[in-house]
Amino acid sequence: AQTVTQSQPEMSVQEAETVTLSCTYDTSENNYYLFWYKQPPSRQMILVIRQEAYKQQNATENRFSVNFQKAAKSFSLKISDSQLGDTAMYFCAFMKHGGAQKLVFGQGTRLTINP
Amino acid sequence: DAGVIQSPRHEVTEMGQEVTLRCKPISGHNSLFWYRQTMMRGLELLIYFNNNVPIDDSGMPEDRFSAKMPNASFSTLKIQPSEPRDSAVYFCASSYESGNQPQHFGDGTRLSIL
């Protein structure tokens, strides 16, 4: 079974700083997908970024980028020029390729951006 | 396009009562997922449907929980009888079948069983 671990329960940075959230996972699969979801206080689950394991290039979406290290089974999220609206819970998630489309989530990191 | 629509947004009821949560997936999506979020266990997949057929219900905690998808635009998650430990936020999500398509989540139903 796959597991996802987020080792930082909480983080706090000042507005405009860069912050990196950690995620590691355990799987015997070779092909899979990784995601970061954001959950603000409004409770919505919002997709931030996704990575396909067979792609070596790290995914980027505006101020959000990932550092995907397949051999190390690591998938960190970097938020550049952080904004107050980035304050939220962030969940790392794993889905294997093919078969059941089951998202396995980490426990989440609560990120606070301070003015 | 409308997103995934869940109702009700909040539900408070007494233990022993039947609870029905509803979900309308995004039009054109053929996979639908029910998740439960609690402080203790985080986000867990309860059940997922593909083309209206339940594919994996291994996450359904007990026989008190049941889910149906009578057509492509509607699903229900029912708890009967409800217990205080069922209190949680329940999310519905939908996606197009291909694995590289992300799941889109509804706003969730916060369920409180007194």
Side-chain angles (χ1 to χ4, degrees):
Chain A
Q2 290 80 23
T3 58
V4 178
T5 302
Q6 294 178 248
S7 58
Q8 305 150 313
E10 294 189 25
M11 294 188 72
S12 178
V13 299
Q14 296 299 118
E15 191 176 9
E17 289 183 347
T18 293
V19 59
T20 299
L21 308 183
S22 300
C23 173
T24 58
Y25 56 94
D26 187 26
T27 184
S28 58
E29 302 287 330
N30 186 52
N31 201 7
Y32 47 86
Y33 307 95
L34 296 163
F35 305 86
W36 279 98
Y37 279 86
K38 168 185 177 181
Q39 187 178 37
S42 63
R43 200 171 75 203
Q44 296 172 289
M45 289 288 289
I46 303 165
L47 178 68
V48 174
I49 200 165
R50 63 183 171 187
Q51 175 81 40
E52 294 160 353
Y54 66 85
K55 289 187 177 179
Q56 292 185 335
Q57 186 171 7
N58 288 323
T60 63
E61 287 286 343
N62 301 313
R63 297 183 295 107
F64 298 87
S65 62
V66 299
N67 183 2
F68 172 50
Q69 300 290 327
K70 190 172 184 180
K73 297 180 182 175
S74 169
F75 183 60
S76 61
L77 174 70
K78 185 171 85 170
I79 306 174
S80 303
D81 186 26
S82 58
Q83 300 174 359
L84 298 179
D86 296 333
T87 293
M89 283 288 289
Y90 286 81
F91 293 94
C92 179
F94 171 101
M95 180 195 296
K96 67 178 184 179
H97 178 73
Q101 296 177 295
K102 190 172 185 174
L103 272 174
V104 177
F105 287 92
Q107 287 296 99
T109 296
R110 184 177 301 279
L111 175 65
T112 302
I113 310 299
N114 299 307
Chain B
D1 283 342
V4 176
I5 299 172
Q6 290 187 246
S7 64
R9 185 156 172 82
H10 300 99
E11 174 90 9
V12 181
T13 192
E14 293 185 348
M15 65 177 293
Q17 297 297 307
E18 178 178 289
V19 173
T20 299
L21 311 182
R22 297 173 175 80
C23 176
K24 177 178 169 57
I26 292 173
S27 178
H29 283 185
N30 60 353
S31 292
L32 183 139
F33 309 81
W34 283 101
Y35 291 90
R36 180 171 66 176
Q37 184 178 32
T38 61
M39 287 294 292
M40 291 298 294
R41 300 174 66 90
L43 275 154
E44 305 173 279
L45 177 68
L46 299 178
I47 186 170
Y48 104 85
F49 295 85
N50 185 248
N51 294 322
N52 311 338
V53 176
I55 302 299
D56 182 353
D57 65 355
S58 59
M60 295 286 265
E62 312 173 24
D63 291 346
R64 298 184 297 106
F65 285 70
S66 62
K68 294 182 179 179
M69 191 164 187
N71 57 61
S73 58
F74 184 65
S75 177
T76 59
L77 178 67
K78 188 173 292 188
I79 308 172
Q80 166 64 17
S82 57
E83 296 183 3
R85 61 194 168 113
D86 303 331
S87 298
V89 178
Y90 291 81
F91 286 100
C92 177
S94 72
S95 72
Y96 190 65
E97 181 176 3
S98 176
N100 67 351
Q101 298 303 310
Q103 295 178 20
H104 297 265
F105 284 73
D107 289 345
T109 295
R110 180 176 295 280
L111 177 64
S112 298
I113 309 297
L114 306 177

Short mmCIF file of all heavy atoms in Angstrom, two decimals, chain A residues 25-27 30 32 53 68-75:
data_model
loop_
_atom_site.label_atom_id
_atom_site.label_comp_id
_atom_site.label_asym_id
_atom_site.label_seq_id
_atom_site.Cartn_x
_atom_site.Cartn_y
_atom_site.Cartn_z
N TYR A 25 6.89 9.89 0.04
CA TYR A 25 5.89 8.85 -0.19
C TYR A 25 6.58 7.50 -0.33
O TYR A 25 7.79 7.43 -0.56
CB TYR A 25 5.05 9.18 -1.44
CG TYR A 25 5.87 9.37 -2.68
CD1 TYR A 25 6.10 8.31 -3.56
CD2 TYR A 25 6.45 10.61 -2.97
CE1 TYR A 25 6.88 8.48 -4.70
CE2 TYR A 25 7.22 10.78 -4.11
CZ TYR A 25 7.44 9.73 -4.96
OH TYR A 25 8.21 9.90 -6.08
N ASP A 26 5.81 6.48 -0.17
CA ASP A 26 6.35 5.14 -0.28
C ASP A 26 5.48 4.35 -1.26
O ASP A 26 4.27 4.28 -1.09
CB ASP A 26 6.36 4.44 1.10
CG ASP A 26 7.07 3.11 1.05
OD1 ASP A 26 7.95 2.95 0.17
OD2 ASP A 26 6.76 2.24 1.87
N THR A 27 6.10 3.80 -2.28
CA THR A 27 5.37 3.01 -3.25
C THR A 27 6.33 2.07 -3.96
O THR A 27 7.52 2.36 -4.07
CB THR A 27 4.66 3.91 -4.28
OG1 THR A 27 3.88 3.10 -5.15
CG2 THR A 27 5.66 4.71 -5.09
N ASN A 30 6.06 2.17 -10.44
CA ASN A 30 7.03 2.94 -11.20
C ASN A 30 6.39 4.14 -11.87
O ASN A 30 7.05 5.16 -12.09
CB ASN A 30 7.67 2.06 -12.28
CG ASN A 30 8.80 2.76 -13.00
OD1 ASN A 30 9.72 3.29 -12.36
ND2 ASN A 30 8.73 2.80 -14.31
N TYR A 32 3.16 6.85 -11.71
CA TYR A 32 2.14 7.36 -10.80
C TYR A 32 2.06 8.87 -10.97
O TYR A 32 2.80 9.46 -11.76
CB TYR A 32 2.45 6.98 -9.35
CG TYR A 32 3.89 7.24 -8.93
CD1 TYR A 32 4.29 8.49 -8.46
CD2 TYR A 32 4.84 6.23 -9.02
CE1 TYR A 32 5.59 8.71 -8.09
CE2 TYR A 32 6.16 6.45 -8.65
CZ TYR A 32 6.53 7.70 -8.18
OH TYR A 32 7.84 7.92 -7.81
N ALA A 53 4.99 11.01 -12.77
CA ALA A 53 6.27 10.43 -12.35
C ALA A 53 7.21 10.15 -13.51
O ALA A 53 8.43 10.14 -13.33
CB ALA A 53 6.03 9.15 -11.56
N PHE A 68 10.72 17.37 -7.57
CA PHE A 68 10.37 15.96 -7.61
C PHE A 68 11.65 15.15 -7.72
O PHE A 68 12.40 15.26 -8.69
CB PHE A 68 9.45 15.68 -8.81
CG PHE A 68 9.17 14.23 -9.06
CD1 PHE A 68 8.75 13.40 -8.03
CD2 PHE A 68 9.29 13.71 -10.34
CE1 PHE A 68 8.47 12.06 -8.27
CE2 PHE A 68 9.02 12.38 -10.59
CZ PHE A 68 8.60 11.55 -9.56
N GLN A 69 11.90 14.34 -6.71
CA GLN A 69 13.08 13.48 -6.67
C GLN A 69 12.58 12.04 -6.61
O GLN A 69 12.27 11.52 -5.53
CB GLN A 69 13.93 13.80 -5.44
CG GLN A 69 14.44 15.22 -5.38
CD GLN A 69 15.50 15.50 -6.42
OE1 GLN A 69 16.29 14.62 -6.78
NE2 GLN A 69 15.51 16.72 -6.94
N LYS A 70 12.49 11.40 -7.78
CA LYS A 70 11.85 10.08 -7.84
C LYS A 70 12.61 9.03 -7.05
O LYS A 70 12.02 8.22 -6.34
CB LYS A 70 11.71 9.63 -9.30
CG LYS A 70 10.84 8.40 -9.47
CD LYS A 70 10.57 8.10 -10.94
CE LYS A 70 9.61 6.90 -11.06
NZ LYS A 70 9.32 6.59 -12.49
N ALA A 71 13.91 9.04 -7.15
CA ALA A 71 14.70 8.02 -6.45
C ALA A 71 14.55 8.16 -4.94
O ALA A 71 14.48 7.17 -4.21
CB ALA A 71 16.17 8.12 -6.85
N ALA A 72 14.47 9.37 -4.49
CA ALA A 72 14.32 9.63 -3.06
C ALA A 72 12.86 9.59 -2.62
O ALA A 72 12.58 9.68 -1.42
CB ALA A 72 14.92 10.99 -2.71
N LYS A 73 11.95 9.47 -3.58
CA LYS A 73 10.52 9.48 -3.29
C LYS A 73 10.14 10.72 -2.49
O LYS A 73 9.51 10.65 -1.42
CB LYS A 73 10.09 8.19 -2.59
CG LYS A 73 10.30 6.97 -3.47
CD LYS A 73 9.89 5.67 -2.80
CE LYS A 73 10.17 4.50 -3.74
NZ LYS A 73 9.92 3.19 -3.11
N SER A 74 10.54 11.85 -3.05
CA SER A 74 10.32 13.13 -2.41
C SER A 74 9.62 14.06 -3.39
O SER A 74 9.94 14.08 -4.59
CB SER A 74 11.65 13.71 -1.98
OG SER A 74 11.52 15.04 -1.58
N PHE A 75 8.70 14.87 -2.89
CA PHE A 75 7.89 15.75 -3.75
C PHE A 75 7.57 17.01 -2.96
O PHE A 75 6.51 17.14 -2.37
CB PHE A 75 6.62 15.00 -4.15
CG PHE A 75 5.71 15.74 -5.09
CD1 PHE A 75 6.14 16.13 -6.34
CD2 PHE A 75 4.40 16.03 -4.73
CE1 PHE A 75 5.30 16.80 -7.22
CE2 PHE A 75 3.54 16.70 -5.60
CZ PHE A 75 3.99 17.08 -6.84
#
